[in-house]
Amino acid sequence: MENGISELKKKLCYTSVHIAAEMPEDIRDAEEFCEDYKEFLDLSKTERETVATAEQIAQEAGFVPFDRFGKYKAGQKVYFVNREKSLILVTFGKKPLAEGVRFVVAHGDCPRLDLKASPVYEKDGTAFLKTHYYGGIRKYQWTTVPLSLHGVVILKNGKKVSVCIGEKDTDPRFVISDLLPHLSMEQNERKLSEGVKGEELNIVFGNIPFGDEDTKDPVKLCVLNILYDRYGITEKDLLTAELEAVPAVKACDIGLDRSMIGGYGQDDRSCVFASVSAQVMLKKPEHTAVTVIADKEEIGSCGNTGMESLFLYDFMQDLCETQNAKVRDVYRNSICLSADVGGAFDPTFRSAFEENNSAFLGHGPVIQKYTGARGKSGASDASAETFAGIVSVLEENGVIWQTGELGKVDGGGGGTVAKYMANMDVDTIDIGVPVLSMHAPFEVTSKLDVYHTHKAVKAFLES
Ligand code: MN
Ligand code: MN
């Protein structure tokens, strides 16, 4: 009788499982896969660097720039770069485009601190940089963390200078200060959300004066002089520049069992890496496979490199013209994975989650029917048919998956690029790696989850 009950329970009940319990043979493969992933994270600290690294991986796999007047056969691989900030990779499939494509869209931008247009100032003998945060951050987390500066500056003569200071072992780093506990009694009374305010995210930039006693702001002059010496940059050139401060930390293993990865920018570069590495492995897929690395997701997918822009639509038009296909037929018959991370259940803060509907570290990529806030506001809300269709492809290919909401109902919320793809008349669903401490300077993921997200994307692109 007892045996019968446990069999009945097994047949009728569902709980998600840890990949290591179900497929221990994947532990080794996940570790190997994540060695490349850590390297990818270290090379890709900004949206531009992410696109450049992915472009290089694609070129090494035989991808060539797309020619809109070209004719392509199954198995041929092309790419398109949009303003150095978004990227489209295509492997042509055996079926005509009109039968639909398999889209995977991840985003290459991450929360960070951008420099303001006029960033350099001196106060009481120290030089600082003013910042304006990009994306959703908990501001107090960004103090007393070593930072590096990345970006591009266009000089008066039109020359474009790439800046990257703070990533090499011998480089200096930058940092935002915070009060010592001995003197923080007043600050301690602030609400956590205002513990450190936006205008307090000032980066320490220099401390040696340059000039004589009549020189105003001699420390500022000293750092400007170094910038000019090394890069030919003047203070005026900074007005038009794009400089981003990001954590100057390398990705590393986390846990005595080395089961996890710690690093900056895993939302959403874990999905970017899982998707790009899957795309470059394709031979001759059934449907044409299209991987997109989008920009500006963290600030609402706006701008001409974000998913609200027409760049993907126009690219698809050009792609369709190579086969005299109608773009609306292609979109209508396509399926899209919006590859973006989910929040992992955190036992230390369990009251923020609803544990029956949470994603757990190690239980595989989290597939989300809907994201959004409050009453699913801002979600694309995939259909049961789309969800079940994806699940069957994944399970046929040995992928362990789970579902889960970001947190409790009305606890907050967030969106992804899913709705922009759905707006194009494409069946779209969210899938991604569960992340601990999402949007913090140092985020944590499970190696098995990153690897199974890659396996999921590959199985989908081959379907
Ligand atoms: Mn994301
Ligand atoms: Mn995000």
Side-chain angles (χ1 to χ4, degrees):
M1 187 60 198
E2 216 158 74
N3 228 354
I5 297 279
S6 74
E7 258 167 47
L8 190 66
K9 213 177 158 192
K10 204 173 161 196
K11 184 175 156 190
L12 298 184
C13 299
Y14 168 82
T15 42
S16 70
V17 292
H18 199 291
I19 300 171
E22 197 81 0
M23 305 178 74
E25 67 278 13
D26 273 17
I27 296 174
R28 179 74 66 80
D29 291 345
E31 271 173 358
E32 217 168 275
F33 182 77
C34 286
E35 288 306 305
D36 291 339
Y37 172 48
K38 282 184 283 183
E39 198 182 319
F40 180 82
L41 284 178
D42 290 343
L43 292 169
S44 314
K45 291 290 189 85
T46 65
E47 74 282 30
R48 285 180 196 257
E49 291 175 4
T50 303
V51 164
T53 314
E55 184 183 355
Q56 202 189 331
I57 292 171
Q59 283 171 343
E60 282 163 14
F63 283 73
V64 296
F66 172 62
D67 171 10
R68 60 187 288 199
F69 303 110
K71 287 281 170 236
Y72 295 100
K73 290 199 286 276
Q76 282 189 287
K77 292 163 174 288
V78 297
Y79 72 92
F80 173 77
V81 179
N82 177 16
R83 298 170 171 88
E84 298 184 12
K85 294 184 177 199
S86 38
L87 172 70
I88 304 172
L89 302 174
V90 179
T91 303
F92 286 89
K94 289 184 251 182
K95 294 186 174 169
L97 286 168
E99 290 188 33
V101 306
R102 297 288 181 258
F103 284 108
V104 176
V105 187
H107 67 91
D109 64 314
C110 300
R112 60 179 193 247
L113 302 173
D114 287 342
L115 296 199
K116 290 191 187 184
S118 182
V120 193
Y121 69 101
E122 177 175 340
K123 198 85 189 156
D124 305 309
T126 298
F128 294 92
L129 299 172
K130 292 300 293 183
T131 68
H132 196 136
Y133 66 97
Y134 171 100
I137 63 165
R138 308 190 71 192
K139 299 178 193 86
Y140 72 87
Q141 294 178 335
W142 291 70
T143 63
T144 67
V145 171
L147 300 170
S148 55
L149 268 185
H150 300 239
V152 294
V153 185
I154 314 294
L155 304 185
K156 197 178 175 189
N157 62 13
K159 194 178 160 220
K160 182 153 99 182
V161 179
S162 285
V163 175
C164 177
I165 313 169
E167 294 296 338
K168 288 203 282 289
D169 288 345
T170 51
D171 277 356
R173 310 282 196 269
F174 311 98
V175 74
I176 293 166
S177 63
D178 197 0
L179 263 181
L180 56 167
H182 318 66
L183 295 178
S184 65
M185 275 177 65
E186 196 184 309
Q187 189 193 21
N188 289 347
E189 298 307 312
R190 295 184 188 177
K191 285 197 309 186
L192 187 58
S193 59
E194 289 166 6
V196 173
K197 297 176 189 176
E199 291 296 354
E200 292 170 342
L201 293 173
N202 303 319
I203 296 174
V204 175
F205 201 47
N207 185 241
I208 289 185
F210 185 69
D212 52 40
E213 67 252 36
D214 295 332
T215 310
K216 191 178 171 277
D217 295 340
V219 181
K220 173 177 170 179
L221 188 64
C222 182
V223 290
L224 285 178
N225 195 40
I226 296 170
L227 273 183
Y228 187 74
D229 266 358
R230 198 190 297 180
Y231 299 102
I233 296 170
T234 67
E235 188 174 21
K236 194 179 175 197
D237 296 327
L238 293 177
L239 297 179
T240 55
E242 273 181 17
L243 289 168
E244 306 173 8
V246 299
V249 287
K250 298 244 182 288
C252 64
D253 290 349
I254 295 285
L256 195 58
D257 54 8
R258 296 182 175 268
S259 54
M260 295 163 280
I261 301 274
Y264 164 68
Q266 299 198 71
D267 171 9
D268 188 33
R269 291 176 192 137
S270 56
C271 294
V272 168
F273 185 70
S275 306
V276 169
S277 58
Q279 170 72 243
V280 300
M281 288 167 77
L282 300 176
K283 301 280 188 267
K284 283 185 188 170
E286 289 299 312
H287 295 85
T288 293
V290 182
T291 298
V292 181
I293 302 175
D295 182 32
K296 301 275 190 278
E297 193 279 337
E298 295 294 356
I299 57 169
S301 294
C302 42
N304 58 11
T305 51
M307 287 305 290
E308 255 196 314
S309 124
L310 284 176
F311 82 90
L312 177 61
Y313 184 85
D314 286 345
F315 176 85
M316 290 306 295
Q317 284 272 18
D318 290 342
L319 201 66
C320 285
E321 280 172 21
T322 66
Q323 292 186 8
N324 294 318
K326 288 197 170 70
V327 73
R328 63 172 183 271
D329 290 334
V330 178
Y331 273 122
R332 195 177 288 143
N333 293 321
S334 292
I335 310 173
C336 175
L337 293 185
S338 160
D340 204 345
V341 299
F345 182 82
D346 187 339
T348 303
F349 299 103
R350 58 189 319 129
S351 67
F353 300 88
E354 189 268 279
E355 60 192 66
N356 292 340
N357 289 280
S358 288
F360 291 83
L361 277 187
H363 289 213
V366 50
I367 308 180
Q368 291 178 274
K369 185 181 188 299
Y370 50 85
T371 58
R374 303 177 306 282
K376 303 190 183 181
S377 180
S380 73
D381 205 10
S383 69
E385 291 87 341
T386 305
F387 198 162
I390 293 297
V391 164
S392 89
V393 170
L394 266 45
E395 292 191 345
E396 273 166 32
N397 289 278
V399 176
I400 306 287
W401 65 279
Q402 59 183 327
T403 186
E405 298 196 10
L406 190 55
K408 259 190 192 167
V409 175
D410 289 339
T416 65
V417 300
K419 62 178 174 181
Y420 305 105
M421 290 306 290
N423 286 350
M424 301 305 230
D425 196 19
V426 178
D427 285 324
T428 306
I429 193 161
D430 281 295
I431 183 171
V433 177
V435 178
L436 266 188
S437 314
M438 195 200 291
H439 285 203
F442 193 74
E443 303 171 312
V444 176
T445 59
S446 143
K447 290 182 182 177
L448 281 161
D449 291 338
V450 177
Y451 180 54
H452 271 241
T453 303
H454 160 83
K455 278 175 64 166
V457 169
K458 185 160 175 282
F460 166 73
L461 291 177
E462 285 170 343
S463 69

